[in-house]
């Protein structure tokens, strides 16, 4: 498409720079605010649907919450934190980290809390925005920093409403419900349920884990950083960067393994998981119940220092007979047994294909994102959608969500977006969005490459779209870095 030659003075937003609306005050929204200010864009606001910062780390408060990316790598590159208490930091510590960073960079002043964006419509060259408070706002640029896993999948289990005890989804934990001495049941065996298991098994009177599908577990110790180690980090930040580099090498290997199901790296990961199962689970009957019938890392690999130990605790029971119904006193399984419970937790995951939705998003000519994504969400490089000008996503669809640290990804994506925005600031164009041919080509080769990945080897997981194609980045970390280094401008429509 021919590029118009505009005079920067023509831009209606020129006096204050482009108006930027950031959606979401989680990790990526806070990052955006910091980086925009640093780049000289000061005309921005963040809308946050809840009353606090932190995204995932605000919403999830379940016992045992932690990040399975090492803390020093799950940290903004420009804000190292010498004080992480453990290799894998607990959730509340991560939340505090984001709050502190947001405070330090005066991000908080720019957040409109408890104000959800309900509609964004591109009309006459600008985004017209409506919020849950009835406010109307406008933007030249929208950054959708809405996260990936934020719409709880509330499993529809028959009879749930008849349960006399307390029940809730893991991302909506009811802390008023006593757990000590209670009979607690958890549905699911994803990363969340595994963390809850290890945190609760010793606290409760009886712990029942309802497993529909067994999981591979990669044993990963979670050592505490001693005060002396933390002092060394504080005195020499280079030590932190060196550690990050080492950890990134691990991710690099992991990312190479998952994208090629036949790779030696993948076989090695599988061998480690198998050895963990064989060596740690003593009772042969329990071991067989815990043995998955698909390949390791096909579902999101569980990293845990002690899940197998926990499920062998005398308080714990692993139930593999499917759930028939929930009754007032507990859960009845298909083998006819009633498992009496006081608390039932649904660790049943998230609707991972929602992204910014249910917000109404209409691009050029009124095209509705819900229609564009009716089959499955697609975006060029996870960032930009044809006919949705100046609408950029962080950790959008089909990104490296299962491969490496989401913070690293968001930082690289934002650097890329800033380069696109620079074209607008320089007056080279007013509107920029991925072209249809570039997006189609990209998505075709992405889906093709994804078929070779471990996620496509025959299991069910939230990585798969409705056609069973992995909705993830199927190439290496190095390739992602290359793509993010500089936009290929021929892949974009400008106006
Ligand atoms: P998940 O991985 O999607 O697991 C959901 C679990 O619920 C699965 O075991 C699923 O069984 C089960 N399930 C769903 N509906 C069910 C039903 N109707 N009846 C019985 N079982 C049902 O969800 P998650 O554990 O919340 O984790 C989601 C993602 O969040 C993770 O993969 C990870 O990316 C992220 N996460 C990360 C961390 C971390 O440490 N960084 C911690 C927690 C979560 P099937 O397997 O049979 O479908």
């Amino acid at each position: 498409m021919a590029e118009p030659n505009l005079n920067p003075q023509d831009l209606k937003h020129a006096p204050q720079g482009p108006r930027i609306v950031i959606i979401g005050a989680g990790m990526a929204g806070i990052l955006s605010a910091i980086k925009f200010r640093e780049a000289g864009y000061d005309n921005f606001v963040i809308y946050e649907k809840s009353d606090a910062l932190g995204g995932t780390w605000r919403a999830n408060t379940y016992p045992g919450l932690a990040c399975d990316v090492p803390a020093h790598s799950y940290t903004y590159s420009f804000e190292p934190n010498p004080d992480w208490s453990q290799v894998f930091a607990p959730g509340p510590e991560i939340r505090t980290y984001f709050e502190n960073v947001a405070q330090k960079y005066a991000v908080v002043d720019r957040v409109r809390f408890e104000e959800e964006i309900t509609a964004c419509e591109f009309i006459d060259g600008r985004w017209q925005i409506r919020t849950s408070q009835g406010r109307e706002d406008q933007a030249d640029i929208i950054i959708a920093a809405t996260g990936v896993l934020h719409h709880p999948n509330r499993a529809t289990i028959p009879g749930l409403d008849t349960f006399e005890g307390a029940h809730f989804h893991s991302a909506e934990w009811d802390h008023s419900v006593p757990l000590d001495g209670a009979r607690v049941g958890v549905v699911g065996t994803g990363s969340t349920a595994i963390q809850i298991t290890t945190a609760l098994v010793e606290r409760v009177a009886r712990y029942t884990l309802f497993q529909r599908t067994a999981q591979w577990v990669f044993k990963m110790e979670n050592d505490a950083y001693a005060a002396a180690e933390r002092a060394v980090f504080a005195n020499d930040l280079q030590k932190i960067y060196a550690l990050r580099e080492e950890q990134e090498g691990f991710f690099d290997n992991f990312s190479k393994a998952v994208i090629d199901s036949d790779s030696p790296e993948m076989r090695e990961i599988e061998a480690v998981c198998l050895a963990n199962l064989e060596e740690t689970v003593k009772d042969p009957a329990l071991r067989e119940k815990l043995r998955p019938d698909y390949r390791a890392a096909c579902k999101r690999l569980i990293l845990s220092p002690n899940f197998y130990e926990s499920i062998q605790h005398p308080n714990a029971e692993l139930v593999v007979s499917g759930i028939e119904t929930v009754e007032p006193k507990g859960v009845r399984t298909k083998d006819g047994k009633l498992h009496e419970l006081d608390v039932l937790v649904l660790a049943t995951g998230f609707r991972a294909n929602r992204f910014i939705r249910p917000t109404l998003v209409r691009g050029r000519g009124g095209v509705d994102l819900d229609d564009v994504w009716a089959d499955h969400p697609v975006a060029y490089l996870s960032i930009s959608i044809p006919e949705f000008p100046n609408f950029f996503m962080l950790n959008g669809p089909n990104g490296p969500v299962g491969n490496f640290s989401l913070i690293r990804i968001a930082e690289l994506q934002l650097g890329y977006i800033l380069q696109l925005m620079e074209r607008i600031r320089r007056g080279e164009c007013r509107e920029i969005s991925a072209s249809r041919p570039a997006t189609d080509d990209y998505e075709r080769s992405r889906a093709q490459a994804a078929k070779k990945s471990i996620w496509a080897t025959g299991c069910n997981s939230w990585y798969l779209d409705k056609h069973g194609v992995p909705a993830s980045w199927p190439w290496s970390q190095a390739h992602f870095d290359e793509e993010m280094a500089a936009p290929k401008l021929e892949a974009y429509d400008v106006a």
Side-chain angles (χ1 to χ4, degrees):
M1 190 166 174
E3 294 190 14
N5 191 11
L6 298 179
N7 179 340
Q9 302 310 319
D10 292 344
L11 294 176
K12 55 186 126 196
H13 43 65
Q16 293 181 284
R19 167 84 172 154
I20 306 169
V21 162
I22 300 165
I23 311 178
M27 172 277 287
I30 296 168
L31 170 73
S32 304
I34 294 169
K35 289 291 163 187
F36 285 150
R37 212 180 248 137
E38 191 181 283
Y41 295 98
D42 205 33
N43 187 7
F44 66 85
V45 63
I46 306 182
Y47 286 95
E48 166 55 48
K49 67 182 174 186
S50 81
D51 61 356
L53 299 161
T56 294
W57 306 103
R58 165 196 54 72
N60 285 280
T61 59
Y62 61 78
L65 174 70
C67 185
D68 60 7
V69 172
H72 283 291
S73 293
Y74 195 81
T75 306
Y76 296 128
S77 58
F78 54 91
E79 268 305 320
N81 174 21
D83 296 326
W84 290 122
S85 65
Q86 284 174 270
V87 173
F88 298 94
E93 217 176 292
I94 299 172
R95 180 177 172 175
T96 302
Y97 168 80
F98 286 123
E99 285 169 350
N100 289 344
V101 173
Q103 199 67 45
K104 175 173 171 183
Y105 289 85
V107 173
V108 187
D109 316 346
R110 294 300 184 86
V111 186
R112 292 195 176 135
F113 289 105
E114 295 187 274
E115 192 159 354
E116 186 167 1
I117 292 191
T118 54
C120 312
E121 297 186 69
F122 194 73
I123 299 169
D124 293 335
R126 267 197 131 188
W127 287 98
Q128 309 296 325
I129 287 162
R130 288 196 303 279
T131 77
S132 54
Q133 303 286 348
R135 187 197 304 265
E136 302 207 337
D137 201 344
Q138 293 194 324
D140 300 296
I141 292 163
I142 291 183
I143 302 293
T146 49
V148 185
L149 301 171
H150 56 113
H151 291 285
N153 170 35
R154 295 184 193 82
T156 45
I157 300 175
L160 191 56
D161 290 344
T162 68
F163 184 52
E164 285 172 357
H167 67 88
F168 42 81
H169 187 274
S170 57
E172 295 162 338
W173 198 276
D174 182 348
H175 290 277
S176 69
V177 174
L179 299 170
D180 297 297
R183 296 163 304 173
V184 177
V186 174
V187 180
T189 49
S191 307
T192 301
I194 299 307
Q195 291 180 345
I196 294 172
T197 302
T198 57
L200 283 193
V201 111
E202 289 183 18
R203 267 180 73 182
V204 300
R206 182 99 200 113
Y207 183 86
T208 310
L209 184 63
F210 296 94
Q211 169 183 290
R212 187 164 71 178
T213 310
Q215 285 275 19
W216 287 109
V217 181
F218 190 101
K219 192 173 182 75
M220 191 70 114
E221 297 303 341
N222 186 11
D223 296 332
Y225 288 114
E229 284 175 284
R230 297 201 299 259
V232 168
F233 285 141
N235 288 329
D236 182 1
L237 295 181
Q238 284 314 316
K239 292 254 176 349
I240 296 181
Y241 289 117
L243 178 61
R244 274 173 76 104
E245 210 167 302
E246 202 179 294
Q247 291 173 343
E248 277 176 15
F250 172 84
F251 283 115
D252 201 26
N253 280 339
F254 185 71
S255 75
K256 282 183 192 140
V258 291
I259 59 173
D260 180 359
S261 55
D262 292 326
S263 61
E265 291 92 344
M266 194 64 248
R267 299 286 172 195
E268 202 179 314
I269 290 171
E270 289 182 287
V272 172
C273 294
L274 183 60
N276 188 22
L277 175 69
E278 301 289 1
E279 289 161 20
T280 321
V281 183
K282 304 298 173 207
D283 172 10
L286 179 63
R287 197 186 308 138
E288 291 321 302
K289 287 182 186 173
L290 288 167
R291 189 186 301 277
D293 60 1
Y294 57 88
R295 294 187 57 189
C298 181
K299 283 173 178 284
R300 165 88 172 202
L301 191 60
I302 307 290
L303 305 186
S304 174
N306 58 347
F307 169 66
Y308 286 147
E309 286 80 353
S310 298
I311 202 66
Q312 293 175 88
H313 191 277
N315 282 351
E317 184 185 3
L318 180 75
V319 173
V320 297
S321 181
I323 296 172
E324 180 74 40
T325 179
V326 179
E327 298 181 5
K329 298 290 176 214
V331 171
R332 191 171 297 277
T333 41
K334 292 198 167 121
D335 56 6
K337 190 169 172 199
L338 177 67
H339 304 267
E340 293 198 19
L341 299 170
D342 304 306
V343 182
L344 180 60
V345 179
L346 302 179
T348 45
F350 299 86
R351 298 167 69 203
N353 66 352
R354 303 305 292 158
F355 298 98
I356 187 176
R357 296 177 292 175
T359 300
L360 171 81
V361 186
R362 288 208 175 116
R364 216 180 256 135
V367 57
D368 192 324
L369 187 63
D370 242 347
D371 294 333
V372 175
W373 282 359
D375 191 73
H376 66 285
V378 171
Y380 178 66
L381 292 172
S382 305
I383 287 176
S384 175
I385 312 164
E387 304 302 336
F388 290 77
N390 308 350
F391 178 91
F392 303 118
M393 286 173 289
L394 294 170
N395 285 308
N398 313 317
V401 63
N403 320 33
F404 27 100
S405 164
L406 286 188
I407 297 190
R408 186 176 186 282
I409 297 164
E411 286 192 9
L412 287 166
Q413 289 174 329
L414 196 64
Y416 179 100
I417 292 165
L418 278 164
Q419 293 181 62
L420 295 176
M421 287 168 54
E422 189 56 27
R423 307 201 72 211
I424 299 175
R425 179 156 65 180
R426 286 203 306 257
E428 292 169 13
C429 60
R430 284 196 179 101
E431 300 172 12
I432 186 158
S433 55
S435 76
R436 169 58 61 200
T439 305
D440 290 348
D441 277 359
Y442 166 77
E443 180 56 13
R444 230 186 334 268
S445 56
R446 191 202 65 75
Q448 188 57 33
K451 289 180 187 154
K452 201 169 171 249
S453 70
I454 192 70
W455 311 301
T457 54
C459 68
N460 189 22
S461 81
W462 64 266
Y463 289 148
L464 302 180
D465 69 22
K466 70 179 186 192
H467 305 291
V469 177
S472 196
W473 177 261
W475 298 293
S476 67
Q477 183 164 304
H479 182 49
F480 184 75
D481 293 3
E482 276 163 31
E483 285 287 358
M484 289 301 106
K488 295 184 178 106
L489 296 176
E490 64 277 16
Y492 285 88
D493 286 335
V494 293

